[in-house]
Amino acid sequence: MTSRTSLCGRLTLACLVIASPAAHADITVFTSPATFLAAVTAPGVDTFSDFSTTTVTSSPIARAAGPYTYSASSGTGFFGAGTVANPALSTNSDFDAITFFNLSGGASAIGGNFFGTDLQGNFVASAVILTATDTLGAISTQTFVATPTSFIGFVSTGGIATLVFSTTMPGNFVFPAVDNLTIAMAQAAPIPEPQTWSLLFAGLAVIGFFARKSRPR
């Protein structure tokens, strides 16, 4: 049997669910810079314009993308792909992956141009794998055949913990490379729609009605 007290309790819980955004882990994937930038605020970009294309850079490295700092690691170090005029971050071994971590300021979005290169740092058509993990435990893995301008971005409801990037062809002289790494904050959660507030107020009105009915005469 359902009492007025239990009914009011259920209605109160329902109203709280309506009024409170869900606190679950979620990562949204974007495949164009425009849609990614529309979903974030205060983006910072690392173009790797100072990265060496002639010598090995030891791992890990500490870098900055605008106002954000971050770290990156790779098994045997890093090497600049592309040209001196336009370098990209790449690995020293085709067996290695690049892991991005320690994003500052609780950054909740990361993206960039991800692709494969050959031993000379030139573009190679190949499939690449990216796995983003956020601080709430959500994981998103994306595998795709990259082009020189392939963009992918991850926006999380929590902070970005790690992003791991590799090719699907280790040992075949295809090296993972990234350019224009972008770090940002996710846009604030939207204000509830008017119909959501209407549901909330209707629920509160029902609670008030039953509360009055249950008072002793």
Side-chain angles (χ1 to χ4, degrees):
M1 186 173 79
T2 301
S3 67
R4 290 189 177 97
T5 302
S6 64
L7 178 58
C8 288
R10 292 176 191 176
L11 286 169
T12 303
L13 177 61
C15 290
L16 289 173
V17 169
I18 291 169
S20 303
H24 66 279
D26 188 27
I27 298 176
T28 304
V29 179
F30 296 87
T31 56
S32 81
T35 55
F36 175 79
L37 292 174
V40 303
T41 60
V45 182
D46 189 353
T47 63
F48 304 103
S49 60
D50 61 336
F51 212 79
S52 175
T53 58
T54 58
T55 59
V56 177
T57 300
S58 298
S59 174
I61 55 175
R63 301 281 303 180
Y68 309 95
T69 58
Y70 71 92
S71 299
S73 64
S74 180
T76 57
F78 295 95
F79 213 94
T83 64
V84 173
N86 184 28
L89 179 69
S90 188
T91 59
N92 185 49
S93 168
D94 57 344
F95 283 96
D96 291 343
I98 302 175
T99 301
F100 301 96
F101 60 102
N102 283 347
L103 278 64
S104 68
S108 51
I110 188 169
N113 301 117
F114 299 92
F115 50 95
T117 63
D118 63 14
L119 191 61
Q120 286 73 43
N122 303 310
F123 169 76
V124 173
S126 65
V128 299
I129 307 172
L130 290 104
T131 300
T133 304
D134 74 8
T135 55
L136 298 176
I139 300 174
S140 177
T141 298
Q142 305 295 316
T143 302
F144 59 96
V145 177
T147 70
T149 58
S150 288
F151 178 92
I152 194 162
F154 301 87
V155 179
S156 170
T157 53
I160 295 293
T162 60
L163 176 63
V164 181
F165 168 45
S166 64
T167 71
T168 61
M169 304 171 65
N172 286 275
F173 300 103
V174 179
F175 301 76
V178 56
D179 202 4
N180 301 313
L181 185 73
T182 304
I183 298 173
M185 300 298 295
Q187 292 275 13
I191 297 171
E193 296 292 333
Q195 58 265 34
T196 302
W197 287 115
S198 298
L199 266 175
L200 172 61
F201 293 139
L204 291 173
V206 171
I207 291 170
F209 171 77
F210 280 111
R212 286 194 300 273
K213 291 274 287 182
S214 62
R215 287 176 188 165
R217 299 294 181 181

